[in-house]
Amino acid sequence: MASKTPLRWLRRNLVVLAGLFTLGYLLLPNIVVTVFSFNKPQGRYNYAWQEFSTDAWRQPCGVAGMCGSLSLSLQIALWATLGATALGTMIAFALVRYRFRARGPINSLIFLPMAMPEVVMGASLLTLFLNLGAQLGFWTILIAHIMFCLSFVVTAVKARVLSMDPRLEQAAQDLYAGPAQTFLRVTLPIAAPGIAAGALLAFALSFDDFIITNFNAGSTVTFPMFVWGSAQRGTPVQINVIGTAMFLVAVLCVLGAMAVGNRRRRRTA
Amino acid sequence: MTTLTEAPPPLAPAPPAGKPPRRRGRWTPYWLLLPGILWLCVFFALPMVYQASTSVQTGSLEDGYQVTWHFAAYWDALQAYWPQFLRSVLYAGSATVLCLVLGYPLAYLIAFRAGRWRNLVMILVIAPFFTSFLIRTLAWKTILADGGPVVGALDSLHVLSVTNWLGMTDGHRVLATPLAVVCGLTYNFLPFMVLPLYTSLERIDGRLHEAAGDLYATPLTTFRKVTFPLSMPGVVSGTLLTFIPASGDYVNSELLGSTNTQMIGNVIQSQFLRILDYPTAAALSFLLMAAILIMVTLYIRRSGTEDLV
């Protein structure tokens, strides 16, 4: 009998164990990145453990060109987020709140960029820029990023606006709120979580994009392109430092947002 | 992206009867749509047209290109690069299946078994998104290093002899073999599988599980007859979100593979950016797009969830 119990426990928790295994698979590279940010590599490549050192953490910008590419990527991600969120929110509101012709084609036009491999989009955008004789660089990257982030923002905002009760806005108008007041004090606050989710997604997608950027950047180097180049030339440890820091910042931001959400929920409860 | 599982949008909420919508001009939706749709038309649809015209041009970089309706470019490209095409479908397909097998338990865990740990697990799934995926992919070079602990363990468990037989690995190496590329693809697109699966699992009413149990269904039967069918929208959108980007990816095969693991994305990339043979590159990327559209349409038809998109 006693030998049966562990087996039964294993059977009951098989899903949990398999799920935790997958979670481990997902997090393993992050752990490796963190550990190897404390490495002191010999030679150009940081792929084998040599000895413990905090050099890279003390001089995160000690590599030529890396922090410049990082700040360029942050700027592009910021502008792309602003652009895609503004355009995407407008589209989402129009699609959910109004009935008009051409909804079908517009829905497919928004869906297609998400269903298209990035190589295809990057390459076709490059043919456009080449045909127009555009100078590749900051602006072409920004145009591309707004383009591929847009659809994701629309879907995120649409989901939220769909679940909104339109009677709340009618109530505001019945209470003599003007259109602007209704929008700013009722509609926008309710739609905000969806807009925030869309913006966050756009930021992450833009900041991390390599494939489309690689086609449209010309000689401009964003952070993912710097990492790509360093894979050939030899990876500085500082790349692991940035990777670790980004992971920590992301976790802290989400934890902070959840704490704020909890407090607000408790207050309204 | 998880909202792909969303039901089709219901029609806009009708204004209450007898009260025409105030201050909503007939043209308002068009003004709201104009900037974004214009952006997509100019920078997404128009480039596709340009690419179509490039693919039927002949000429050279020095003399310039002319549209000659040279459709043979498609045939030539297909003949020259069919191994890469085949490889893309095979690798992306294997990665999608692995993502489903690995991702389902994790999505199930978050939806039904995580309890108060749910938010933490969710963060741990999403947070890697914010670390550059290139850095994480490079970390796999360390993990799968020759003679490293992972490869050693796989070898002593005789996994490598099986994968060698399948042609997935080569001797005692994992890096620079198809297995490494599939492993990287699986890893990179796993969150795109887990999130839609989670959204569709989370919507399942827990009482259905109880009802199945009350009707003497074993847990396995409950899963087979209740949980899995109800999670189909998540399965379909998850597999699409994994397969489509994976089949066009060239990062994993470049960083973790070798010249023998090149996918069609590698070819398009080098034709466009290194060899500067624009017509061939355009024809290849059109073929890739067409192949994916056909496969996706067939798949959606078969899985009977046409209302998905």
Side-chain angles (χ1 to χ4, degrees):
Chain A
M1 283 305 262
S3 68
K4 256 186 173 173
T5 348
L7 205 69
R8 197 183 293 161
W9 180 87
L10 195 70
R11 254 176 62 185
R12 199 177 305 149
N13 291 294
L14 200 61
V15 180
V16 178
L17 291 175
L20 289 177
F21 173 81
T22 307
L23 196 63
Y25 178 68
L26 269 176
L27 292 174
L28 185 62
N30 281 92
I31 296 165
V32 170
V33 167
T34 310
V35 169
F36 275 75
S37 72
F38 293 104
N39 192 16
K40 188 172 194 166
Q42 281 167 353
R44 294 190 300 156
Y45 296 99
N46 183 20
Y47 295 140
W49 181 259
Q50 301 292 342
E51 69 179 283
F52 182 85
S53 146
T54 53
D55 289 354
W57 280 92
R58 270 179 283 164
Q59 289 180 309
C61 283
V63 190
M66 190 185 74
C67 283
S69 70
L70 194 62
S71 95
L72 178 71
S73 273
L74 283 172
Q75 282 171 41
I76 290 174
L78 219 58
W79 288 115
T81 305
L82 274 175
T85 310
L87 298 180
T89 306
M90 281 158 67
I91 294 180
F93 267 96
L95 282 176
V96 176
R97 284 303 172 81
Y98 296 90
R99 257 196 272 194
F100 51 88
R101 258 181 270 164
R103 273 176 65 112
I106 285 175
N107 270 322
S108 1
L109 183 65
I110 285 158
F111 174 73
L112 272 175
M114 293 190 289
M116 199 65 73
E118 285 190 78
V119 214
V120 177
M121 279 198 283
S124 65
L125 200 51
L126 176 62
T127 42
L128 175 81
F129 289 143
L130 287 174
N131 274 297
L132 298 179
Q135 172 90 44
L136 297 179
F138 182 89
W139 292 106
T140 49
I141 301 175
L142 186 60
I143 285 171
H145 283 206
I146 293 179
M147 185 269 288
F148 71 75
C149 291
L150 193 54
S151 307
F152 290 95
V153 176
V154 173
T155 16
V157 180
K158 223 168 86 175
R160 178 76 191 180
V161 180
L162 266 174
S163 66
M164 273 169 66
D165 191 342
R167 283 173 300 186
L168 287 171
E169 285 159 304
Q170 282 157 16
Q173 294 193 340
D174 287 345
L175 295 166
Y176 299 105
Q181 222 179 351
T182 310
F183 182 76
L184 286 176
R185 305 200 49 177
V186 179
T187 316
L188 207 56
I190 303 178
I195 298 173
L200 209 62
L201 196 60
F203 187 87
L205 286 171
S206 162
F207 186 75
D208 208 18
D209 182 75
F210 171 71
I211 296 182
I212 293 180
T213 314
N214 191 27
F215 275 98
N216 298 297
S219 54
T220 312
V221 178
T222 62
F223 183 66
M225 289 173 74
F226 181 87
V227 178
W228 175 263
S230 77
Q232 268 100 42
R233 292 192 310 268
T235 36
V237 190
Q238 276 81 350
I239 281 183
N240 291 46
V241 173
I242 304 294
T244 313
M246 269 153 57
F247 183 73
L248 290 178
V249 169
V251 172
L252 286 178
C253 282
V254 181
L255 284 177
M258 266 170 31
V260 170
N262 278 345
R263 198 186 305 157
R264 192 171 295 162
R265 211 172 305 140
R266 223 172 296 142
R267 207 168 45 197
T268 49
Chain B
M1 76 200 87
T2 56
T3 43
L4 283 183
T5 53
E6 214 69 48
L11 298 172
K19 195 174 166 193
R22 279 176 295 178
R23 297 182 200 93
R24 282 193 177 169
R26 223 161 68 81
W27 297 101
T28 323
Y30 297 101
W31 288 119
L32 282 173
L33 286 167
L34 189 69
I37 295 302
L38 206 62
W39 199 281
L40 282 181
C41 284
V42 175
F43 299 118
F44 176 75
L46 187 64
M48 295 289 164
V49 177
Y50 266 105
Q51 195 165 36
S53 92
T54 308
S55 69
V56 290
Q57 287 175 350
T58 37
S60 65
L61 203 57
E62 293 80 34
D63 311 332
Y65 291 100
Q66 227 100 56
V67 178
T68 52
W69 304 107
H70 181 69
F71 280 109
Y74 282 88
W75 182 241
D76 296 343
L78 201 57
Q79 256 187 335
Y81 297 108
W82 68 266
Q84 283 86 343
F85 256 112
L86 194 65
R87 237 178 252 144
S88 303
V89 175
L90 280 178
Y91 291 1
S94 326
T96 308
V97 172
L98 278 171
C99 277
L100 186 61
V101 171
L102 287 169
Y104 209 103
L106 181 56
Y108 192 94
L109 168 80
I110 306 174
F112 299 122
R113 303 292 289 272
R116 59 204 192 87
W117 300 104
R118 179 192 273 201
N119 283 334
L120 182 72
V121 180
M122 210 55 185
I123 295 173
L124 292 178
V125 172
I126 297 169
F129 260 121
F130 291 83
T131 315
S132 174
F133 85 102
L134 282 170
I135 300 181
R136 288 179 284 127
T137 309
L138 282 176
W140 279 102
K141 275 198 156 175
T142 307
I143 299 167
L144 299 174
D146 296 341
V150 174
V151 174
L154 288 177
D155 206 4
S156 56
L157 289 170
H158 297 288
V159 175
L160 287 192
S161 46
V162 177
T163 50
N164 279 343
W165 181 73
L166 287 170
M168 294 286 283
T169 48
D170 184 20
H172 298 281
R173 293 201 77 187
V174 171
L175 269 187
T177 66
L179 182 66
V181 179
V182 171
C183 171
L185 286 171
T186 308
Y187 165 76
N188 270 317
F189 297 109
L190 196 51
F192 293 94
M193 180 66 89
V194 173
L195 294 177
L197 278 178
Y198 163 72
T199 20
S200 66
L201 282 173
E202 197 216 356
R203 266 185 219 148
I204 299 176
D205 192 334
R207 284 173 297 184
L208 287 173
H209 291 152
E210 288 167 29
D214 289 345
L215 296 166
Y216 299 105
T218 61
L220 199 66
T221 316
T222 309
F223 177 76
R224 214 159 42 86
K225 297 256 179 174
V226 180
T227 317
F228 191 73
L230 285 174
S231 69
M232 263 324 265
V235 173
V236 173
S237 58
T239 43
L240 290 179
L241 282 173
T242 325
F243 181 80
I244 297 172
S247 58
D249 182 84
Y250 60 82
V251 172
N252 285 285
S253 75
E254 183 86 28
L255 292 182
L256 302 172
S258 68
T259 44
N260 294 325
T261 62
Q262 289 212 326
M263 294 165 70
I264 199 63
N266 300 73
V267 181
I268 296 176
Q269 194 258 159
S270 75
Q271 292 280 340
F272 248 115
L273 299 176
R274 266 182 247 156
I275 304 170
L276 305 178
D277 180 355
Y278 299 127
T280 307
L284 281 172
S285 86
F286 243 78
L287 285 172
L288 173 64
M289 196 173 80
I292 284 178
L293 281 181
I294 291 169
M295 278 189 279
V296 167
T297 318
L298 288 177
Y299 176 66
I300 292 179
R301 283 267 163 80
R302 266 207 77 111
S303 57
T305 38
E306 270 168 89
D307 52 329
L308 197 82
V309 287

